[in-house]
Amino acid sequence: MPEIPQDLQYTRTHEWVRIEDGTATVGITDHAQEELGDVVFVELPEPGSSVEAGEPFGTIESVKAVSDLYSPVSGEVAEVNRTLEESPERVNEDPYGEGWLIRVRISGQPDLLSPEEYASRLEEEE
Amino acid sequence: MVAVAEGTLRRTPLYDEHRRLGARLVDFAGWEMPVQYAGIRAEHEAVRTRAGLFDVSHMGEVAFRGPDAERALQRLLTRDVSRLERGQAGYAAVCLESGGTVDDVIAYRREEDFLVVVNAANREKDLAHFRRHTSDLDVEISDETEEWALLALQGPASEEILQRFVGRDLSTLGRYRFVREEVGGAPAIVSRTGYTGEDGFEIFVSPRDAPSLWRRLIEAGAAPAGLGARDTLRLEAGMCLYGNELDEETTPLEAGISFAVHLDKEEEFVGRQALRRQREEGLRKKLVGFELEGRGIARHGYPVAAGGEEVGVVTSGTMSPTLNRAIGMAYVPPDLEDGLAVIIRGRPVPARIVPLPFYRRGR
């Protein structure tokens, strides 16, 4: 079973979100990194650009496939994880830690899944 | 191997082994095949540095028997089959009259007949083509796909691993040579061939013997490897994949496999006139290798541009696990030397043409 930390929120498209002081840190879940396989490239937006909840903000490529990344929240990109330019494999190794993708200053009220809701979604997909 | 009802995926005799190893299984040409076990990178590296073991039992085997078996293959294949000795195998293309490629195959000349290994996705199309063009000959063409399991043991340690199961000295078996030999007590054909750019063997055994041989080779140190690693390995080695580099709109000359096209062999073969004409008039397109100079990964089907115009298309692309660079192959105009870009999701990323293969063993 993939790891689903209890202190995070989730999307139906397998991103996770940690909200602290109006800023959301966004990554992809353990399940998502496992499905993708070896991540070899991550394309992220520039800081200062705006993202829209439910809309693509970047792409992630594994050896075999390319996938869109969907923003869980609306707002302005405050920071991107530059480490991933050189070491995209961090997403596989530590999806909830060093493999985070972007930080967003949130505008509006995000609509996210609780850990329990995300876990039951995964079971439905199985 | 048991054929299953229409609409369901076929399984190789090693299906249970794949499940047991936790493989991720996908639909590949109508077969439920492992794409990866531990991870594509780890499997790729195992093959480059030690040994990997692939289940390629989905590949088709077609036997050619009878007095005209050689004549039939001379007519069907671009290679001069008469030059193959018993115990020797040769890579060849199968062409349409237009010169377009029906399939790429390996023909094995056995004692009394030939065995031709074809791509899983093309098997039925090939059989129809083979029969259509040989109806006047005394040859029996039979689909033996279900009679064989095929294991590919690939990598620098493969000889040492396989030697533990074989009585004969394998170091004397040359590249593209094969022998009938018992492997771990099971009757087999052991062939020094492969699709990874490494030394290695392909082992034909009965479906009944395949699971135990699979397990014993893994116990002896071979890492199970899936279709994902098979694709990154063959791409680094600059080898064509049917459906990517080769199709019915593409000739073997354009695909850069003219070493398998013997235009001057004695017998006429299907497509020869078109290929001769193309050789005289020049190619419409050529297959090149490239490395991306900007960030991104080129994928099958992405457009290639030069001078602001779309001039070609990517046939295969990946992040090379060995070179750690984004590499790929593409069809471009034959005179194009440089200044090309791959259009990745609407954005041109500069690329540089490099000689194929990207990787050669022993470097």
Side-chain angles (χ1 to χ4, degrees):
Chain A
M1 218 17 215
E3 193 195 342
I4 304 174
Q6 291 301 304
D7 59 338
L8 303 176
Q9 292 176 285
Y10 299 88
T11 66
R12 288 165 182 79
T13 47
H14 309 289
E15 288 87 10
W16 58 262
V17 188
R18 176 183 289 116
I19 298 178
E20 293 161 314
D21 304 329
T23 297
T25 303
V26 177
I28 65 165
T29 64
D30 187 32
H31 168 78
Q33 69 79 22
E34 211 175 283
E35 283 294 304
L36 281 168
D38 301 305
V39 172
V40 290
F41 183 72
V42 185
E43 191 172 15
L44 298 173
E46 286 303 313
S49 55
S50 55
V51 293
E52 199 72 42
E55 295 295 319
F57 69 88
T59 52
I60 188 162
E61 303 209 26
S62 64
V63 176
K64 263 323 254 189
V66 50
S67 312
D68 283 323
L69 296 162
Y70 293 93
S71 184
V73 296
S74 297
E76 186 189 311
V77 177
E79 199 182 340
V80 304
N81 187 354
R82 295 280 177 213
T83 324
L84 302 181
E85 285 177 17
E86 289 304 312
S87 308
E89 68 276 6
R90 290 276 183 274
V91 175
N92 294 117
E93 295 161 355
D94 192 7
Y96 298 114
E98 284 183 28
W100 66 277
L101 303 172
I102 56 171
R103 296 207 165 97
V104 179
R105 269 188 291 278
I106 306 175
S107 60
Q109 195 60 40
D111 175 24
L112 298 165
L113 303 177
S114 69
E116 295 74 26
E117 287 167 330
Y118 182 62
S120 65
R121 289 231 156 227
L122 281 192
E123 273 167 33
E124 282 168 28
E125 279 184 25
E126 282 298 304
Chain B
M1 209 181 304
V2 182
V4 292
E6 212 171 296
T8 56
L9 294 177
R10 300 174 74 176
R11 292 172 175 175
T12 79
L14 296 167
Y15 174 80
D16 289 341
E17 302 302 315
H18 304 322
R19 291 297 298 259
R20 207 169 50 80
L21 290 164
R24 181 170 303 172
L25 297 157
V26 296
D27 174 2
F28 184 86
W31 294 77
E32 196 169 1
M33 297 298 293
V35 65
Q36 65 171 61
Y37 306 82
I40 294 175
R41 265 178 181 272
E43 293 161 28
H44 182 108
E45 171 152 341
V47 173
R48 286 275 178 259
T49 58
R50 300 182 304 280
L53 184 62
F54 301 85
D55 175 14
V56 285
S57 303
H58 62 304
M59 304 282 289
E61 285 89 10
V62 181
F64 284 70
R65 293 201 181 84
D68 290 337
E70 182 176 314
R71 269 184 77 192
L73 287 174
Q74 284 295 62
R75 190 183 290 179
L76 293 168
L77 305 187
T78 56
R79 172 173 289 272
D80 186 352
V81 176
S82 74
R83 288 196 255 159
L84 288 181
E85 298 167 13
R86 288 185 170 76
Q88 190 179 6
Y91 177 67
V94 180
C95 287
L96 297 167
E97 296 287 0
S98 66
T101 311
V102 177
D103 202 359
D104 63 332
V105 304
I106 294 183
Y108 295 77
R109 184 197 278 271
R110 298 191 289 197
E111 285 303 314
E112 298 299 331
D113 62 4
F114 291 86
L115 193 65
V116 177
V117 174
V118 305
N119 282 297
N122 293 339
R123 188 175 54 99
E124 282 172 23
K125 177 183 80 166
D126 289 346
L127 280 165
H129 177 90
F130 293 162
R131 291 186 173 129
R132 187 164 57 244
H133 287 282
T134 57
S135 55
D136 59 321
L137 299 181
D138 189 359
V139 58
E140 184 205 334
I141 299 172
S142 44
D143 180 4
E144 294 193 350
T145 303
E146 309 221 334
E147 290 168 41
W148 296 104
L150 185 54
L151 278 60
L153 177 64
Q154 299 281 301
S158 53
E159 182 186 295
E160 180 235 304
I161 289 173
L162 189 59
Q163 190 64 74
R164 297 181 218 175
F165 301 94
V166 176
R168 164 198 300 258
D169 178 7
L170 287 173
S171 69
T172 61
L173 185 66
R175 187 107 181 107
Y176 275 83
R177 299 282 170 165
F178 64 96
V179 284
R180 277 193 170 280
E181 192 62 58
E182 286 201 348
V183 180
I189 297 172
V190 176
S191 169
R192 198 162 208 142
T193 46
Y195 191 51
T196 59
E198 296 298 331
D199 184 21
F201 300 87
E202 292 177 306
I203 308 156
F204 299 75
V205 289
S206 90
R208 192 185 54 246
D209 295 326
S212 77
L213 180 59
W214 171 267
R215 283 194 294 269
R216 291 171 75 183
L217 289 169
I218 289 170
E219 280 161 23
L227 294 177
R230 192 168 159 84
D231 194 50
T232 53
L233 289 157
R234 71 93 196 164
L235 180 50
E236 284 184 350
M239 293 172 172
C240 291
L241 172 63
Y242 196 88
N244 286 37
E245 285 72 35
L246 287 167
D247 56 39
E248 293 188 356
E249 310 304 316
T250 305
T251 72
L253 304 180
E254 292 165 334
I257 54 168
S258 50
F259 62 88
V261 181
H262 297 150
L263 284 176
D264 293 328
K265 74 178 177 183
E266 210 164 301
E267 292 84 351
E268 192 60 35
F269 65 85
V270 182
R272 170 150 74 178
Q273 289 176 21
L275 295 177
R276 277 196 169 149
R277 209 174 317 124
Q278 187 171 58
R279 171 136 297 171
E280 283 161 24
E281 292 171 1
L283 304 178
R284 298 162 296 182
K285 60 181 179 182
K286 69 170 178 187
L287 188 69
V288 295
F290 66 82
E291 278 181 18
L292 285 188
E293 295 186 303
R295 284 166 49 77
I297 294 172
R299 302 278 184 185
H300 174 74
Y302 285 8
V304 173
E309 261 181 71
E310 207 172 298
V311 297
V313 65
V314 174
T315 53
S316 295
T318 194
M319 176 64 77
S320 159
T322 306
L323 309 169
N324 212 19
R325 286 198 288 271
I327 60 167
M329 295 198 277
Y331 278 110
V332 300
D335 51 352
L336 188 71
E337 297 288 324
D338 53 15
L340 75 156
V342 176
I343 312 296
I344 299 180
R345 293 182 291 279
R347 183 171 52 93
V349 176
R352 185 165 58 90
I353 293 179
V354 297
L356 291 169
F358 301 100
Y359 165 89
R360 207 187 290 275
R361 83 182 133 106
R363 230 179 226 175

